[in-house]
Amino acid sequence: MKNIVNKDIFDVFSVQGYWWIDKDKENQVPGTLIYKPEEITLEIMGTLVNDFIDIGDTPKVINGISVDGELYKLDVLAIGKSNFRSPGIPTSVYEIRSFLVGDYTEAFPEKFDSAEFSTGNLTEWMGLSAFTQIFDSNGEKHEIHYERININKVTVKDFVVQETSGVKIKNQKSGQCVSMEHVSGFNIIPSERKDLKWFHENVNHQVRLINILMNNINYDINITLNVTEDKKQLKYKYFQHHREALKQKNTNFLFDYNKVRHNYETLLNNWFQERWI
């Protein structure tokens, strides 16, 4: 099973599934979502509307379910090349601005409980390693020591920012972990549920501060949204197209996180205060 929700925003992948719009949910058509960091397209066979008068209209949102059972919500940028042959099968290509993908539920969540975000540089900057790998003389891993990490949590007006530290399995075969890496980031938890736009704005605003402290620009922002419905935890990953697909790895930071960690709450509050004025 492809777990697209666990993909990185710099991965390249394609997803087959059925796609539809809200006003014509019964009309589900097959198609393929193709993701590249600099371009996202949806290629479908058929039309998303049954009424010929509406065929020329471009939907703002397209919903979908993949062959692996993950739910999709696509933010449409524009319609590309379309063919309406008769006889024949009509085809269309949609340019996608961004999309959410995650656990299946009857209705796609509109608001979420929290959002975790990470970048490639953020892990190095924060230095909150959850494990240490020990290698033998041949460079083979033979021991992994796990370490307990004290997680900091700070309050910024009506939401909480909490450090996150975990392990990401990079490759897995026959249930055995082939390789893994540590991932650090932050979790934003508002006092009440918020929509994607709110989380996106607040994540990006915090990243701007991190960019200054690092003296570096983080392009690879991975955002995962979480919500609990009927005592079930649901997870959704946010993907968007990037004008520049730059994956930078820089460890020459202006300020290390451990130097500002003790007063990070003050830094964040002052930073967000400037935005709210």
Side-chain angles (χ1 to χ4, degrees):
M1 176 180 288
K2 289 184 180 178
N3 289 315
I4 301 300
V5 72
N6 294 323
K7 293 283 189 181
D8 185 89
I9 64 161
F10 279 109
D11 290 335
V12 175
F13 55 84
S14 60
V15 177
Q16 294 179 320
Y18 281 104
W19 310 91
W20 67 90
I21 58 176
D22 286 330
K23 73 174 183 178
D24 202 0
K25 190 174 182 180
E26 300 303 316
N27 179 42
Q28 300 186 9
V29 298
T32 303
L33 177 69
I34 302 171
Y35 176 81
K36 301 175 184 177
E38 66 279 4
E39 182 184 35
I40 313 172
T41 56
L42 173 66
E43 301 177 358
I44 63 169
M45 294 180 62
T47 60
L48 290 172
V49 288
N50 287 321
D51 189 344
F52 182 77
I53 297 175
D54 293 334
I55 286 179
D57 294 342
T58 302
K60 294 182 179 179
V61 176
I62 296 175
N63 304 291
I65 183 169
S66 71
V67 294
D68 292 312
E70 288 183 306
L71 208 60
Y72 286 77
K73 189 171 186 178
L74 315 181
D75 180 14
V76 179
L77 179 62
I79 188 168
K81 184 178 179 181
S82 298
N83 291 309
F84 298 96
R85 296 187 180 92
S86 181
I89 301 174
T91 60
S92 297
V93 178
Y94 290 89
E95 298 175 18
I96 306 301
R97 180 183 292 107
S98 62
F99 66 89
L100 279 172
V101 53
D103 294 314
Y104 178 80
T105 182
E106 289 298 324
F108 206 103
E110 295 295 330
K111 294 187 176 182
F112 304 89
D113 295 321
S114 64
E116 299 178 26
F117 71 91
S118 63
T119 73
N121 281 327
L122 201 56
T123 297
E124 294 288 337
W125 183 62
M126 295 179 71
L128 304 177
S129 181
F131 64 90
T132 301
Q133 301 179 79
I134 300 176
F135 298 85
D136 59 21
S137 58
N138 296 320
E140 298 290 335
K141 286 182 292 187
H142 66 286
E143 283 187 29
I144 298 177
H145 293 171
Y146 292 92
E147 303 170 7
R148 183 179 180 86
I149 297 175
N150 294 320
I151 297 299
N152 277 1
K153 183 168 63 175
V154 302
T155 301
V156 182
K157 199 177 179 179
D158 59 347
F159 61 91
V160 169
V161 176
Q162 180 176 299
E163 297 168 346
T164 62
S165 178
V167 175
K168 178 182 178 182
I169 298 176
K170 298 178 67 176
N171 297 295
Q172 193 169 358
K173 295 179 181 179
S174 302
Q176 294 183 347
C177 175
V178 175
S179 63
M180 62 185 185
E181 63 181 6
H182 175 73
V183 178
S184 293
F186 290 99
N187 190 18
I188 295 182
I189 310 168
S191 56
E192 59 183 21
R193 287 183 176 177
K194 300 290 184 180
D195 59 15
L196 171 63
K197 181 181 177 181
W198 184 93
F199 282 109
H200 191 255
E201 289 175 349
N202 283 280
V203 165
N204 280 305
H205 194 62
Q206 184 175 346
V207 169
R208 292 186 193 103
L209 172 62
I210 293 170
N211 289 341
I212 294 173
L213 297 172
M214 283 185 179
N215 192 30
N216 186 60
I217 298 176
N218 288 278
Y219 291 95
D220 56 334
I221 307 171
N222 286 275
I223 303 176
T224 303
L225 297 116
N226 303 288
V227 64
T228 300
E229 297 286 0
D230 298 325
K231 298 181 180 180
K232 181 181 179 182
Q233 292 186 344
L234 306 174
K235 181 169 72 171
Y236 299 88
K237 183 69 173 285
Y238 177 73
F239 290 88
Q240 65 178 343
H241 78 81
H242 297 261
R243 292 180 181 177
E244 296 180 279
L246 301 176
K247 191 170 184 179
Q248 298 179 336
K249 198 77 171 179
N250 175 33
T251 56
N252 297 317
F253 304 126
L254 182 63
F255 297 100
D256 290 333
Y257 181 60
N258 60 7
K259 298 289 181 63
V260 299
R261 192 184 185 197
H262 66 285
N263 63 348
Y264 194 62
E265 183 168 20
T266 302
L267 284 172
L268 270 183
N269 275 279
N270 289 340
W271 180 254
F272 275 93
Q273 187 63 39
E274 291 292 328
R275 181 188 174 200
W276 294 322
I277 293 177

